[in-house]
Each structure stands twice: as C-alpha cells, then as structure tokens.
Amino acid sequence: MSDALRTTVLNITTGSAETVTDLTRDCADFLTRVADGRDGLLNVFVPHATAGVAVLETGAGSDHDLLAALHDLLPADDRWRHRHGSPGHGRDHVLPAIVPPHATLPVLGGSLELGTWQSVCLVDTNVDNPDRKVRLSFLG
C-alpha cells in the first residue's frame, strides 16, 4: 500500500435502538496516526445497506432531530416491499439514499477541517444489526 493512502476499519456497536454515533474523535485519532501533518482527504465509508454517514452538530439535539426527521420521512411500518427483519425494516434499506454511506472531508496539516459545530456521525436506524464497520481512508 502506498504511503499516500492509509486505511483502517472501526468496529462500532450501535445497540438495539436507532442511533447517531459521533465518529469525530475516531477520525481525529486515525489522522494523528497516519496523516503526518499532510493535507489530503479523509473518506468515511459504511459498507452496509442500512446505515449512512452524516456531518452535523451533535449534543444540542440535532442528532435526535435527525432521527425524528428520518422517522417522519421513513416510517417503520408495513408499507415497504422489502419485508425481512423487524417491522418496517424496509425503510432501513432506503436510508442510504437520504443519508449516504460515505463522506469525503478535507484534511489540512494532518487535522480534519470541520466547522465549529460539525461532527462526523454514523447514522444507523437498523435495530436488527448492532455491529457496524466503518472504513476510514486517508489520501494525502
């Protein structure tokens, strides 16, 4: 593997409830290990059909607001054609069309370049699968 591309996989347990999990510290720690002060790009990718990556404010209620908005847009009921798993699980398979499974973010001087209130988050509405992988890749 080239020194220009470094990658790792995080194993995240989201539990049995819909969650927004802040990954910002994990991203910063990864960049501390691999970026060596360089500029580049951090790609965050969730290799799951029922989870996504969002950049948003956390801790002030926005994470709960996002889950509420997703519940309004994608109700957990029997309208979905995709019908395995818990009731309404088909909505989880539509989630990545709204909250994409990836984000590419700027890295300047080895540090993630986020706005003051921005955090990198795993969004998981699938209560049937509590074990998630998140791939972090730095290109610089």
Side-chain angles (χ1 to χ4, degrees):
M1 179 185 312
S2 166
D3 284 341
L5 177 66
R6 303 293 301 269
T7 189
T8 193
V9 175
L10 305 174
N11 293 299
I12 307 291
T13 301
T14 57
S16 60
E18 298 177 5
T19 62
V20 174
T21 303
D22 192 337
L23 303 174
T24 310
R25 172 60 40 210
D26 296 299
C27 293
D29 291 347
F30 171 67
L31 290 171
T32 296
R33 290 191 312 272
V34 303
D36 197 31
R38 295 181 306 218
D39 294 349
L41 296 171
L42 175 68
N43 183 263
V44 183
F45 177 71
V46 181
H48 298 283
T50 59
V53 176
V55 177
L56 74 154
E57 179 181 5
T58 59
S62 297
D63 38 351
H64 297 292
D65 290 340
L66 174 60
L67 292 175
L70 290 172
H71 197 271
D72 289 345
L73 289 170
L74 304 171
D77 58 22
D78 65 356
R79 74 182 68 202
W80 308 101
R81 290 184 181 105
H82 189 111
R83 293 186 183 258
H84 73 86
S86 59
H89 174 64
R91 80 183 195 111
D92 301 325
H93 288 274
V94 176
L95 173 76
I98 295 170
V99 180
H102 58 86
T104 300
L105 305 164
V107 176
L108 297 177
S111 296
L112 196 55
E113 185 69 13
L114 292 173
T116 301
W117 304 112
Q118 290 180 315
S119 296
V120 181
C121 299
L122 168 66
V123 180
D124 187 3
T125 59
N126 182 0
V127 299
D128 295 336
N129 183 3
D131 300 313
R132 298 303 189 161
K133 295 189 182 310
V134 179
R135 178 170 294 281
L136 304 179
S137 299
F138 172 70
L139 179 62

